[in-house]
Amino acid sequence: MAKHIFVTGGVVSSLGKGLTCASVGMLLERRGLRVRLQKFDPYLNVDPGTMSPYQHGEVYVLDDGAETDLDLGHYERYTNAPLTRACNFTTGQIYLSVINKERAGTYYEGKTVQVIPHITDEIKAAVRSLATDDVDVVITEIGGTVGDIEGLPFLEAIRQFALDAGRENCVYIHLTLVPYLKAAAELKTKPTQHSVGALRQIGIQPDVLICRTEHPISPEDKDKIALFCNIERKAVIEERDKQFSIYEVPLSLMNNGLDEILVKRLNLKVGPLQMDDWRDLLDRVLHPEREVTIAVVGKYIKHRDAYKSVYEALDHAGIAHHSRVIIKRVEAEELGHEGADSFLNGVDGILVPGGFGMRGIEGKIEAIRFARTRGIPFFGICLGMQCATIEFARSVLGYTDANSTEFDSGTQHPVISLLDEQRGVRQRGASMRLGSCPCELLPGSHAVKAYGHSSINERHRHRYEFNNDYREAFESHGFQISGTSPDGALVEIIEIPAHPWFLAVQFHPEFKSKPIKAHPLFRDFVGAAIRRKHPAAH
Ligand code: GLN
Protein backbone atom coordinates (compact mmCIF):
# COMPACT_ATOMS: atom_id res chain seq x y z
CA MET A 1 0.00 0.00 0.00
CA ALA A 2 1.30 3.45 -0.93
CA LYS A 3 2.28 5.93 1.78
CA HIS A 4 1.34 9.59 1.62
CA ILE A 5 3.18 12.85 2.18
CA PHE A 6 1.10 16.02 2.25
CA VAL A 7 2.86 19.35 1.90
CA THR A 8 1.25 22.62 3.00
CA GLY A 9 2.60 26.16 3.18
CA GLY A 10 2.21 28.87 5.76
CA VAL A 11 2.93 32.53 6.58
CA VAL A 12 3.50 33.74 3.00
CA SER A 13 3.32 32.43 -0.54
CA SER A 14 6.36 31.94 -2.81
CA LEU A 15 8.31 29.90 -0.27
CA GLY A 16 9.30 27.42 -2.94
CA LYS A 17 6.91 24.65 -1.98
CA GLY A 18 7.03 23.18 -5.46
CA LEU A 19 10.80 22.95 -5.45
CA THR A 20 10.72 21.45 -1.95
CA CYS A 21 8.21 18.79 -3.03
CA ALA A 22 10.30 18.02 -6.09
CA SER A 23 13.40 17.72 -3.89
CA VAL A 24 11.62 15.40 -1.45
CA GLY A 25 10.53 13.32 -4.44
CA MET A 26 14.10 13.20 -5.68
CA LEU A 27 15.55 12.10 -2.33
CA LEU A 28 12.99 9.31 -1.93
CA GLU A 29 13.35 8.17 -5.52
CA ARG A 30 17.10 8.01 -5.09
CA ARG A 31 16.60 5.76 -2.08
CA GLY A 32 14.91 3.32 -4.41
CA LEU A 33 11.27 4.27 -3.91
CA ARG A 34 8.66 4.69 -6.63
CA VAL A 35 7.14 8.12 -6.10
CA ARG A 36 4.31 10.12 -7.65
CA LEU A 37 3.77 13.84 -7.25
CA GLN A 38 0.58 15.83 -7.40
CA LYS A 39 -0.56 19.39 -6.81
CA PHE A 40 -3.89 20.89 -5.78
CA ASP A 41 -4.48 24.52 -6.72
CA PRO A 42 -7.28 26.24 -4.79
CA TYR A 43 -8.35 28.67 -7.55
CA LEU A 44 -11.58 28.35 -9.54
CA ASN A 45 -10.18 28.15 -13.07
CA VAL A 46 -10.51 24.58 -14.29
CA ASP A 47 -6.87 24.74 -15.38
CA PRO A 48 -4.29 27.54 -15.77
CA GLY A 49 -4.62 27.39 -19.58
CA THR A 50 -6.95 30.37 -19.74
CA MET A 51 -4.97 32.55 -17.30
CA SER A 52 -2.66 35.39 -18.23
CA PRO A 53 1.02 34.58 -17.77
CA TYR A 54 1.17 37.73 -15.63
CA GLN A 55 -1.25 36.09 -13.19
CA HIS A 56 0.09 32.65 -13.16
CA GLY A 57 3.47 32.41 -14.81
CA GLU A 58 4.08 29.64 -17.30
CA VAL A 59 1.50 27.00 -18.19
CA TYR A 60 3.34 23.69 -18.02
CA VAL A 61 2.16 21.13 -20.59
CA LEU A 62 2.33 17.38 -20.01
CA ASP A 63 2.61 14.57 -22.56
CA ASP A 64 -1.11 13.87 -22.26
CA GLY A 65 -1.91 17.49 -23.12
CA ALA A 66 -2.86 18.61 -19.60
CA GLU A 67 -2.21 22.32 -19.06
CA THR A 68 -0.85 22.49 -15.53
CA ASP A 69 0.82 24.55 -12.84
CA LEU A 70 4.49 25.31 -13.32
CA ASP A 71 5.38 23.42 -10.14
CA LEU A 72 4.83 20.25 -12.15
CA GLY A 73 7.85 21.39 -14.14
CA HIS A 74 9.94 21.14 -10.97
CA TYR A 75 8.55 17.66 -10.31
CA GLU A 76 9.42 16.51 -13.79
CA ARG A 77 12.89 18.05 -13.79
CA TYR A 78 13.84 16.55 -10.40
CA THR A 79 12.27 13.10 -10.56
CA ASN A 80 11.40 10.38 -13.05
CA ALA A 81 7.83 10.15 -11.79
CA PRO A 82 5.39 10.01 -14.71
CA LEU A 83 3.02 12.99 -14.73
CA THR A 84 -0.51 12.94 -16.10
CA ARG A 85 -3.59 15.09 -15.77
CA ALA A 86 -4.28 13.27 -12.51
CA CYS A 87 -1.31 15.16 -11.06
CA ASN A 88 -2.87 18.63 -10.99
CA PHE A 89 -6.36 19.47 -9.75
CA THR A 90 -7.91 22.88 -9.17
CA THR A 91 -10.96 23.79 -7.12
CA GLY A 92 -12.69 24.50 -10.44
CA GLN A 93 -11.98 21.00 -11.70
CA ILE A 94 -13.12 19.32 -8.48
CA TYR A 95 -16.36 21.30 -8.41
CA LEU A 96 -16.96 20.77 -12.12
CA SER A 97 -16.73 17.04 -11.66
CA VAL A 98 -19.05 17.06 -8.62
CA ILE A 99 -21.56 19.31 -10.37
CA ASN A 100 -21.50 17.15 -13.49
CA LYS A 101 -22.29 14.09 -11.37
CA GLU A 102 -25.09 15.98 -9.63
CA ARG A 103 -26.56 17.06 -12.98
CA ALA A 104 -26.42 13.51 -14.28
CA GLY A 105 -29.05 12.82 -11.66
CA THR A 106 -28.55 9.55 -9.85
CA TYR A 107 -24.97 9.64 -8.58
CA TYR A 108 -25.72 11.32 -5.24
CA GLU A 109 -28.99 9.42 -4.75
CA GLY A 110 -31.05 12.52 -4.10
CA LYS A 111 -28.84 13.76 -1.28
CA THR A 112 -27.95 17.40 -0.60
CA VAL A 113 -24.56 17.83 -2.27
CA GLN A 114 -22.13 19.56 0.10
CA VAL A 115 -18.48 20.52 0.59
CA ILE A 116 -18.24 17.83 3.27
CA PRO A 117 -18.44 15.00 2.29
CA HIS A 118 -18.91 15.38 -1.48
CA ILE A 119 -16.18 17.86 -2.41
CA THR A 120 -13.78 16.35 0.13
CA ASP A 121 -14.55 12.83 -1.21
CA GLU A 122 -13.77 14.03 -4.71
CA ILE A 123 -10.42 15.42 -3.48
CA LYS A 124 -9.57 12.22 -1.62
CA ALA A 125 -10.40 10.18 -4.73
CA ALA A 126 -7.98 12.36 -6.68
CA VAL A 127 -5.22 11.57 -4.16
CA ARG A 128 -6.07 7.86 -4.21
CA SER A 129 -6.02 7.78 -8.00
CA LEU A 130 -2.23 8.09 -7.84
CA ALA A 131 -1.76 5.47 -5.12
CA THR A 132 -1.69 2.46 -7.45
CA ASP A 133 0.00 -0.87 -6.63
CA ASP A 134 3.23 0.10 -8.35
CA VAL A 135 3.72 3.21 -6.19
CA ASP A 136 5.48 3.50 -2.81
CA VAL A 137 4.92 7.16 -1.92
CA VAL A 138 2.49 9.81 -3.18
CA ILE A 139 3.54 13.40 -2.48
CA THR A 140 0.61 15.82 -2.57
CA GLU A 141 1.26 19.56 -2.52
CA ILE A 142 -1.55 21.88 -1.45
CA GLY A 143 -1.21 25.22 -3.25
CA GLY A 144 -1.80 28.52 -1.49
CA THR A 145 -1.20 29.38 2.15
CA VAL A 146 -2.83 27.98 5.29
CA GLY A 147 -5.49 30.46 6.35
CA ASP A 148 -6.83 31.10 2.83
CA ILE A 149 -10.59 30.48 2.66
CA GLU A 150 -10.37 28.70 -0.67
CA GLY A 151 -7.80 26.18 0.58
CA LEU A 152 -10.01 24.85 3.37
CA PRO A 153 -11.71 21.96 1.49
CA PHE A 154 -8.29 20.61 0.50
CA LEU A 155 -6.95 20.80 4.05
CA GLU A 156 -10.09 19.16 5.38
CA ALA A 157 -9.75 16.41 2.76
CA ILE A 158 -6.13 15.64 3.65
CA ARG A 159 -7.06 15.63 7.35
CA GLN A 160 -9.76 13.04 6.63
CA PHE A 161 -7.39 11.10 4.41
CA ALA A 162 -5.34 9.90 7.38
CA LEU A 163 -8.51 8.48 8.98
CA ASP A 164 -8.98 6.17 5.98
CA ALA A 165 -5.34 5.44 5.16
CA GLY A 166 -4.03 5.24 8.75
CA ARG A 167 -2.18 8.06 10.49
CA GLU A 168 1.00 5.95 10.47
CA ASN A 169 0.90 5.92 6.65
CA CYS A 170 0.72 9.69 6.29
CA VAL A 171 3.20 12.49 6.91
CA TYR A 172 2.28 16.14 6.99
CA ILE A 173 5.06 18.55 6.07
CA HIS A 174 4.48 22.24 6.66
CA LEU A 175 6.69 24.83 4.99
CA THR A 176 6.94 28.16 6.78
CA LEU A 177 8.94 31.34 6.93
CA VAL A 178 11.12 32.34 9.87
CA PRO A 179 11.70 36.01 9.09
CA TYR A 180 14.64 38.11 10.26
CA LEU A 181 13.70 41.42 11.87
CA LYS A 182 16.46 43.90 11.23
CA ALA A 183 15.39 46.34 13.95
CA ALA A 184 15.51 43.61 16.58
CA ALA A 185 18.43 41.83 14.89
CA GLU A 186 16.78 38.46 15.42
CA LEU A 187 14.78 35.71 13.79
CA LYS A 188 11.10 35.57 14.66
CA THR A 189 9.33 32.26 15.25
CA LYS A 190 5.86 33.65 15.99
CA PRO A 191 4.51 33.57 12.40
CA THR A 192 5.46 29.87 12.26
CA GLN A 193 3.72 29.22 15.59
CA HIS A 194 0.57 30.94 14.31
CA SER A 195 0.62 29.09 11.04
CA VAL A 196 0.95 25.71 12.75
CA GLY A 197 -1.76 26.85 15.18
CA ALA A 198 -4.08 27.48 12.23
CA LEU A 199 -3.34 24.01 10.85
CA ARG A 200 -3.99 22.37 14.21
CA GLN A 201 -7.31 24.15 14.45
CA ILE A 202 -8.30 22.35 11.26
CA GLY A 203 -7.14 19.12 12.85
CA ILE A 204 -3.77 18.68 11.18
CA GLN A 205 -0.73 18.30 13.39
CA PRO A 206 2.31 18.59 11.12
CA ASP A 207 5.04 15.98 11.58
CA VAL A 208 7.80 17.96 9.89
CA LEU A 209 8.40 21.69 9.66
CA ILE A 210 10.61 23.05 6.93
CA CYS A 211 11.61 26.56 7.95
CA ARG A 212 12.65 28.94 5.20
CA THR A 213 15.07 31.51 6.54
CA GLU A 214 17.71 33.97 5.44
CA HIS A 215 19.89 33.29 8.48
CA PRO A 216 20.83 30.16 10.41
CA ILE A 217 18.25 29.20 13.05
CA SER A 218 19.88 28.87 16.48
CA PRO A 219 19.41 25.67 18.55
CA GLU A 220 17.37 27.75 21.03
CA ASP A 221 15.00 28.93 18.32
CA LYS A 222 14.65 25.37 17.03
CA ASP A 223 13.80 24.22 20.57
CA LYS A 224 11.22 26.94 20.81
CA ILE A 225 9.62 26.10 17.46
CA ALA A 226 9.54 22.40 18.39
CA LEU A 227 7.93 23.09 21.74
CA PHE A 228 5.31 25.58 20.60
CA CYS A 229 4.42 23.71 17.45
CA ASN A 230 4.40 20.30 19.12
CA ILE A 231 6.94 18.84 16.73
CA GLU A 232 9.89 16.55 17.34
CA ARG A 233 13.06 18.62 17.62
CA LYS A 234 14.89 16.85 14.80
CA ALA A 235 11.90 17.32 12.51
CA VAL A 236 12.33 21.09 12.61
CA ILE A 237 14.35 21.43 9.42
CA GLU A 238 16.14 24.60 8.50
CA GLU A 239 16.05 25.52 4.81
CA ARG A 240 18.23 28.55 4.38
CA ASP A 241 18.08 30.72 1.23
CA LYS A 242 20.47 29.30 -1.30
CA GLN A 243 23.28 31.63 -2.10
CA PHE A 244 24.27 30.21 -5.44
CA SER A 245 21.87 27.74 -6.98
CA ILE A 246 18.49 26.10 -6.57
CA TYR A 247 20.25 22.80 -7.23
CA GLU A 248 21.53 23.02 -3.65
CA VAL A 249 18.03 22.44 -2.24
CA PRO A 250 17.92 18.61 -2.37
CA LEU A 251 21.43 18.38 -0.92
CA SER A 252 20.68 20.74 1.95
CA LEU A 253 17.44 18.90 2.80
CA MET A 254 19.45 15.69 2.78
CA ASN A 255 22.14 17.20 5.02
CA ASN A 256 19.43 18.24 7.44
CA GLY A 257 18.21 14.67 7.60
CA LEU A 258 14.83 15.05 5.91
CA ASP A 259 14.89 11.82 3.90
CA GLU A 260 15.86 9.83 6.98
CA ILE A 261 12.98 11.32 9.01
CA LEU A 262 10.46 10.50 6.27
CA VAL A 263 11.75 6.98 5.76
CA LYS A 264 11.58 6.23 9.50
CA ARG A 265 8.23 7.89 10.04
CA LEU A 266 6.62 5.97 7.18
CA ASN A 267 8.50 2.77 7.91
CA LEU A 268 9.82 2.47 4.37
CA LYS A 269 12.34 -0.10 3.17
CA VAL A 270 15.02 1.76 1.28
CA GLY A 271 18.58 1.69 0.03
CA PRO A 272 21.35 4.25 0.61
CA LEU A 273 21.07 7.68 -0.96
CA GLN A 274 23.03 8.16 -4.19
CA MET A 275 23.69 11.83 -4.97
CA ASP A 276 27.11 11.79 -6.68
CA ASP A 277 25.81 12.90 -10.08
CA TRP A 278 23.88 15.73 -8.41
CA ARG A 279 26.99 16.89 -6.54
CA ASP A 280 28.85 16.81 -9.83
CA LEU A 281 26.09 18.90 -11.40
CA LEU A 282 26.28 21.45 -8.61
CA ASP A 283 30.04 21.61 -9.03
CA ARG A 284 29.62 22.44 -12.71
CA VAL A 285 27.06 25.12 -11.86
CA LEU A 286 29.31 26.71 -9.26
CA HIS A 287 32.52 26.53 -11.32
CA PRO A 288 31.69 27.24 -14.97
CA GLU A 289 34.57 27.32 -17.45
CA ARG A 290 33.05 30.10 -19.55
CA GLU A 291 30.08 32.36 -19.94
CA VAL A 292 27.74 33.02 -22.81
CA THR A 293 24.92 35.56 -23.15
CA ILE A 294 21.57 34.58 -24.61
CA ALA A 295 18.86 37.16 -25.24
CA VAL A 296 15.30 35.97 -24.63
CA VAL A 297 13.00 38.29 -26.54
CA GLY A 298 9.45 37.93 -25.24
CA LYS A 299 6.27 39.62 -24.26
CA TYR A 300 5.95 38.62 -20.61
CA ILE A 301 9.57 39.35 -19.66
CA LYS A 302 8.63 41.31 -16.54
CA HIS A 303 7.05 38.27 -14.91
CA ARG A 304 9.83 36.15 -13.42
CA ASP A 305 8.07 32.85 -14.07
CA ALA A 306 6.37 33.41 -17.45
CA TYR A 307 9.14 31.56 -19.33
CA LYS A 308 10.23 29.41 -16.39
CA SER A 309 11.00 26.21 -18.30
CA VAL A 310 12.79 28.13 -21.07
CA TYR A 311 15.12 29.76 -18.54
CA GLU A 312 15.69 26.43 -16.80
CA ALA A 313 16.39 24.64 -20.09
CA LEU A 314 18.98 27.32 -20.98
CA ASP A 315 20.63 26.69 -17.61
CA HIS A 316 20.69 22.95 -18.28
CA ALA A 317 22.25 23.56 -21.69
CA GLY A 318 24.93 25.70 -20.06
CA ILE A 319 25.66 22.96 -17.53
CA ALA A 320 26.08 20.46 -20.39
CA HIS A 321 28.85 22.70 -21.79
CA HIS A 322 30.43 23.51 -18.39
CA SER A 323 29.29 27.07 -19.04
CA ARG A 324 27.17 29.68 -17.38
CA VAL A 325 24.35 31.05 -19.50
CA ILE A 326 23.67 34.70 -18.74
CA ILE A 327 20.10 35.39 -19.78
CA LYS A 328 19.37 38.85 -21.08
CA ARG A 329 15.63 39.41 -20.83
CA VAL A 330 14.43 41.69 -23.60
CA GLU A 331 10.91 43.14 -23.72
CA ALA A 332 9.87 42.62 -27.37
CA GLU A 333 7.63 45.67 -27.46
CA GLU A 334 10.46 47.97 -26.36
CA LEU A 335 12.80 46.41 -28.90
CA GLY A 336 10.12 47.03 -31.56
CA HIS A 337 10.09 50.72 -30.70
CA GLU A 338 13.79 51.32 -30.18
CA GLY A 339 15.37 48.92 -32.68
CA ALA A 340 17.35 45.72 -32.19
CA ASP A 341 20.85 47.20 -31.90
CA SER A 342 20.59 48.70 -28.46
CA PHE A 343 19.18 45.46 -27.02
CA LEU A 344 20.99 42.75 -28.94
CA ASN A 345 24.47 44.06 -29.69
CA GLY A 346 27.00 41.74 -28.15
CA VAL A 347 24.68 38.83 -27.35
CA ASP A 348 25.86 35.37 -28.42
CA GLY A 349 22.47 33.85 -29.17
CA ILE A 350 18.85 34.95 -29.52
CA LEU A 351 15.80 32.98 -28.41
CA VAL A 352 12.18 33.92 -29.13
CA PRO A 353 9.82 31.87 -26.94
CA GLY A 354 6.11 31.08 -27.26
CA GLY A 355 3.29 33.53 -26.77
CA PHE A 356 -0.13 34.75 -27.77
CA GLY A 357 -1.53 37.97 -29.17
CA MET A 358 -0.29 40.91 -31.14
CA ARG A 359 1.72 42.93 -28.63
CA GLY A 360 5.47 42.69 -29.18
CA ILE A 361 5.20 40.76 -32.45
CA GLU A 362 7.06 43.32 -34.56
CA GLY A 363 9.85 43.46 -31.97
CA LYS A 364 10.24 39.68 -32.11
CA ILE A 365 10.36 39.78 -35.91
CA GLU A 366 12.98 42.54 -35.70
CA ALA A 367 15.09 40.44 -33.30
CA ILE A 368 14.87 37.46 -35.65
CA ARG A 369 15.98 39.59 -38.60
CA PHE A 370 18.95 40.73 -36.51
CA ALA A 371 19.88 37.11 -35.76
CA ARG A 372 19.37 35.91 -39.33
CA THR A 373 21.27 38.68 -41.10
CA ARG A 374 24.20 38.73 -38.65
CA GLY A 375 24.69 34.98 -38.33
CA ILE A 376 23.84 34.98 -34.62
CA PRO A 377 22.57 31.57 -33.39
CA PHE A 378 18.78 31.69 -33.20
CA PHE A 379 16.26 29.40 -31.54
CA GLY A 380 12.52 29.99 -32.03
CA ILE A 381 9.87 28.21 -29.99
CA CYS A 382 6.23 27.98 -31.07
CA LEU A 383 5.31 31.64 -31.65
CA GLY A 384 9.06 32.10 -32.17
CA MET A 385 8.88 29.72 -35.15
CA GLN A 386 5.82 31.49 -36.50
CA CYS A 387 7.61 34.85 -36.25
CA ALA A 388 10.70 33.41 -37.96
CA THR A 389 8.46 32.26 -40.82
CA ILE A 390 6.86 35.72 -41.11
CA GLU A 391 10.26 37.42 -41.03
CA PHE A 392 11.60 35.19 -43.83
CA ALA A 393 8.48 35.73 -45.93
CA ARG A 394 8.74 39.49 -45.60
CA SER A 395 12.51 39.90 -46.00
CA VAL A 396 13.51 37.08 -48.36
CA LEU A 397 10.35 36.19 -50.30
CA GLY A 398 9.33 39.84 -50.56
CA TYR A 399 5.79 39.35 -49.19
CA THR A 400 5.91 42.60 -47.26
CA ASP A 401 2.51 42.11 -45.61
CA ALA A 402 3.11 38.45 -44.66
CA ASN A 403 1.63 37.61 -41.29
CA SER A 404 -0.14 35.06 -39.14
CA THR A 405 -3.92 35.25 -39.31
CA GLU A 406 -3.75 35.47 -35.51
CA PHE A 407 -2.49 39.04 -35.94
CA ASP A 408 -3.87 40.09 -39.35
CA SER A 409 -6.87 38.15 -40.60
CA GLY A 410 -6.91 40.10 -43.87
CA THR A 411 -3.26 39.62 -44.92
CA GLN A 412 -2.62 38.70 -48.57
CA HIS A 413 0.10 36.30 -47.41
CA PRO A 414 -1.15 34.25 -44.44
CA VAL A 415 2.05 32.21 -44.03
CA ILE A 416 0.80 31.07 -40.61
CA SER A 417 -2.88 30.16 -40.38
CA LEU A 418 -5.44 28.02 -38.63
CA LEU A 419 -5.98 24.38 -39.49
CA ASP A 420 -9.53 23.56 -40.55
CA GLU A 421 -10.10 21.67 -37.29
CA GLN A 422 -9.36 24.85 -35.32
CA ARG A 423 -11.62 27.15 -37.35
CA GLY A 424 -14.89 26.23 -35.68
CA VAL A 425 -13.51 26.22 -32.14
CA ARG A 426 -15.25 28.79 -29.93
CA GLN A 427 -14.45 27.62 -26.39
CA ARG A 428 -10.96 28.74 -25.39
CA GLY A 429 -10.22 26.29 -22.55
CA ALA A 430 -8.23 23.14 -23.45
CA SER A 431 -9.03 23.53 -27.15
CA MET A 432 -5.56 24.02 -28.65
CA ARG A 433 -3.37 21.38 -30.25
CA LEU A 434 -2.06 20.04 -26.94
CA GLY A 435 0.41 17.44 -25.74
CA SER A 436 2.90 15.02 -27.20
CA CYS A 437 2.97 14.52 -30.98
CA PRO A 438 5.38 12.50 -33.14
CA CYS A 439 7.71 14.24 -35.58
CA GLU A 440 10.08 12.94 -38.28
CA LEU A 441 13.40 14.68 -38.87
CA LEU A 442 15.22 15.41 -42.11
CA PRO A 443 18.59 13.64 -42.58
CA GLY A 444 21.56 16.00 -42.38
CA SER A 445 19.66 18.73 -40.51
CA HIS A 446 20.79 20.40 -37.29
CA ALA A 447 17.71 18.86 -35.73
CA VAL A 448 18.63 15.25 -36.48
CA LYS A 449 22.23 15.90 -35.45
CA ALA A 450 21.01 17.19 -32.10
CA TYR A 451 18.60 14.35 -31.32
CA GLY A 452 20.82 11.63 -32.77
CA HIS A 453 17.79 9.83 -34.27
CA SER A 454 15.03 10.72 -36.68
CA SER A 455 11.75 9.96 -34.85
CA ILE A 456 10.97 12.22 -31.91
CA ASN A 457 8.01 13.20 -29.73
CA GLU A 458 7.51 16.71 -28.40
CA ARG A 459 4.77 18.63 -26.60
CA HIS A 460 2.55 21.17 -28.29
CA ARG A 461 0.36 24.07 -27.21
CA HIS A 462 -0.84 26.23 -30.10
CA ARG A 463 -3.66 26.82 -32.57
CA TYR A 464 -1.84 28.16 -35.62
CA GLU A 465 0.40 26.28 -38.09
CA PHE A 466 2.76 26.85 -40.98
CA ASN A 467 0.56 27.31 -44.08
CA ASN A 468 1.45 24.55 -46.57
CA ASP A 469 0.42 26.69 -49.56
CA TYR A 470 3.75 28.46 -49.12
CA ARG A 471 5.99 25.45 -48.67
CA GLU A 472 7.53 25.49 -52.12
CA ALA A 473 8.16 29.23 -52.11
CA PHE A 474 10.03 28.94 -48.81
CA GLU A 475 11.97 25.81 -49.70
CA SER A 476 13.19 27.22 -52.99
CA HIS A 477 14.74 30.17 -51.12
CA GLY A 478 16.98 28.38 -48.61
CA PHE A 479 14.43 27.77 -45.88
CA GLN A 480 14.51 24.13 -44.83
CA ILE A 481 11.66 22.19 -43.33
CA SER A 482 13.59 19.76 -41.15
CA GLY A 483 10.77 18.24 -39.10
CA THR A 484 7.20 17.34 -39.95
CA SER A 485 4.39 15.22 -38.57
CA PRO A 486 4.85 11.58 -39.77
CA ASP A 487 2.29 12.11 -42.57
CA GLY A 488 4.25 15.17 -43.69
CA ALA A 489 1.23 17.43 -43.28
CA LEU A 490 2.34 19.65 -40.40
CA VAL A 491 5.57 21.64 -40.34
CA GLU A 492 7.21 21.17 -36.93
CA ILE A 493 10.81 22.38 -37.41
CA ILE A 494 12.40 24.91 -39.73
CA GLU A 495 16.06 25.76 -40.33
CA ILE A 496 18.21 27.99 -42.50
CA PRO A 497 21.13 25.76 -43.55
CA ALA A 498 23.23 28.70 -44.79
CA HIS A 499 23.21 30.22 -41.30
CA PRO A 500 25.52 28.93 -38.50
CA TRP A 501 22.55 27.83 -36.35
CA PHE A 502 19.04 29.04 -37.12
CA LEU A 503 16.38 26.61 -35.99
CA ALA A 504 12.81 27.02 -34.83
CA VAL A 505 10.20 24.56 -33.64
CA GLN A 506 6.41 24.57 -33.45
CA PHE A 507 6.52 22.55 -30.20
CA HIS A 508 7.83 23.28 -26.70
CA PRO A 509 11.12 21.44 -26.12
CA GLU A 510 11.67 23.34 -22.84
CA PHE A 511 9.21 21.02 -21.11
CA LYS A 512 11.46 18.01 -21.61
CA SER A 513 14.80 19.37 -20.44
CA LYS A 514 16.36 18.19 -17.19
CA PRO A 515 19.33 19.48 -15.18
CA ILE A 516 21.30 16.30 -15.75
CA LYS A 517 20.01 15.75 -19.27
CA ALA A 518 19.76 19.02 -21.19
CA HIS A 519 17.35 19.01 -24.11
CA PRO A 520 19.37 18.33 -27.30
CA LEU A 521 18.10 21.43 -29.14
CA PHE A 522 18.82 23.75 -26.21
CA ARG A 523 22.20 22.06 -25.80
CA ASP A 524 23.17 22.57 -29.45
CA PHE A 525 21.79 26.12 -29.57
CA VAL A 526 23.88 27.12 -26.55
CA GLY A 527 26.80 25.17 -28.07
CA ALA A 528 26.52 27.28 -31.24
CA ALA A 529 26.43 30.46 -29.13
CA ILE A 530 29.57 29.33 -27.28
CA ARG A 531 31.31 28.59 -30.60
CA ARG A 532 30.47 32.08 -31.77
CA LYS A 533 31.86 33.67 -28.63
CA HIS A 534 34.83 31.36 -28.07
CA PRO A 535 35.80 30.01 -31.51
CA ALA A 536 38.97 28.48 -30.07
CA ALA A 537 37.12 26.44 -27.46
CA HIS A 538 35.74 23.95 -30.01
N1 GLN B 1 -0.19 32.03 -30.56
C1 GLN B 1 0.38 30.97 -31.33
C2 GLN B 1 -0.64 29.88 -31.62
O1 GLN B 1 -1.65 29.78 -30.99
C3 GLN B 1 1.60 30.39 -30.65
C4 GLN B 1 1.30 29.70 -29.35
C5 GLN B 1 2.52 29.46 -28.52
O2 GLN B 1 3.56 30.05 -28.73
N2 GLN B 1 2.41 28.61 -27.51
O3 GLN B 1 -0.42 29.08 -32.50
Side-chain angles (χ1 to χ4, degrees), residues 116-401:
I116 303 171
H118 302 106
I119 294 294
T120 47
D121 279 354
E122 193 75 22
I123 296 169
K124 287 191 285 181
V127 177
R128 268 195 303 271
S129 74
L130 286 195
T132 45
D133 287 344
D134 56 342
V135 173
D136 299 310
V137 183
V138 177
I139 301 169
T140 300
E141 175 185 352
I142 311 295
T145 308
V146 168
D148 298 344
I149 290 178
E150 55 187 15
L152 281 174
F154 293 104
L155 297 176
E156 168 60 14
I158 63 169
R159 179 194 71 80
Q160 291 174 15
F161 199 91
L163 301 177
D164 310 333
R167 185 64 179 86
E168 69 284 6
N169 296 316
C170 300
V171 163
Y172 296 94
I173 299 180
H174 189 55
L175 195 67
T176 83
L177 178 71
V178 179
Y180 179 76
L181 264 203
K182 242 199 208 144
E186 57 185 25
L187 289 174
K188 289 293 176 190
T189 65
K190 194 71 81 188
T192 296
Q193 296 176 37
H194 277 300
S195 183
V196 171
L199 259 185
R200 286 163 67 187
Q201 234 165 26
I202 299 165
I204 297 174
Q205 166 64 55
D207 304 293
V208 178
L209 269 189
I210 299 181
C211 303
R212 289 295 312 275
T213 173
E214 277 177 52
H215 299 277
I217 304 177
S218 67
E220 296 74 33
D221 276 341
K222 277 194 188 164
D223 287 341
K224 195 164 149 191
I225 293 171
L227 183 66
F228 281 90
C229 298
N230 193 29
I231 285 171
E232 242 185 303
R233 171 68 166 71
K234 67 171 193 307
V236 177
I237 308 264
E238 171 187 300
E239 193 184 340
R240 215 173 324 153
D241 290 357
K242 300 296 166 272
Q243 227 178 326
F244 305 108
S245 163
I246 57 166
Y247 302 125
E248 293 173 59
V249 174
L251 293 170
S252 84
L253 291 175
M254 174 194 84
N255 290 336
N256 290 332
L258 180 62
D259 56 308
E260 207 45 49
I261 292 171
L262 296 174
V263 161
K264 286 228 172 77
R265 177 72 178 68
L266 291 171
N267 200 11
L268 292 160
K269 283 182 201 49
V270 291
L273 190 55
Q274 227 311 0
M275 294 295 277
D276 289 349
D277 56 343
W278 200 260
R279 282 198 196 88
D280 177 52
L281 167 108
L282 191 61
D283 187 57
R284 284 184 185 217
V285 173
L286 300 183
H287 307 104
E289 287 165 12
R290 39 185 125 70
E291 289 183 343
V292 66
T293 303
I294 303 290
V296 174
V297 184
K299 172 181 176 183
Y300 314 108
I301 288 297
K302 295 209 167 72
H303 192 290
R304 208 171 43 109
D305 286 340
Y307 305 112
K308 181 86 185 158
S309 297
V310 170
Y311 297 146
E312 298 262 332
L314 284 171
D315 268 357
H316 307 162
I319 294 168
H321 293 285
H322 292 262
S323 300
R324 187 162 91 89
V325 174
I326 300 166
I327 298 174
K328 181 169 183 188
R329 299 166 190 217
V330 178
E331 189 63 60
E333 202 177 12
E334 287 170 17
L335 185 149
H337 293 144
E338 293 165 41
D341 273 290
S342 54
F343 292 95
L344 300 179
N345 255 335
V347 305
D348 310 305
I350 296 173
L351 187 152
V352 175
F356 296 83
M358 181 74 183
R359 186 170 67 77
I361 288 300
E362 295 304 324
K364 290 175 191 173
I365 291 172
E366 198 55 42
I368 294 166
R369 184 170 303 130
F370 191 90
R372 185 178 58 77
T373 54
R374 299 187 188 211
I376 301 169
F378 168 74
F379 192 15
I381 294 177
C382 207
L383 182 63
M385 180 189 116
Q386 298 175 356
C387 288
T389 304
I390 296 167
E391 194 283 315
F392 196 88
R394 289 185 188 172
S395 306
V396 181
L397 305 184
Y399 306 153
T400 49
D401 78 328

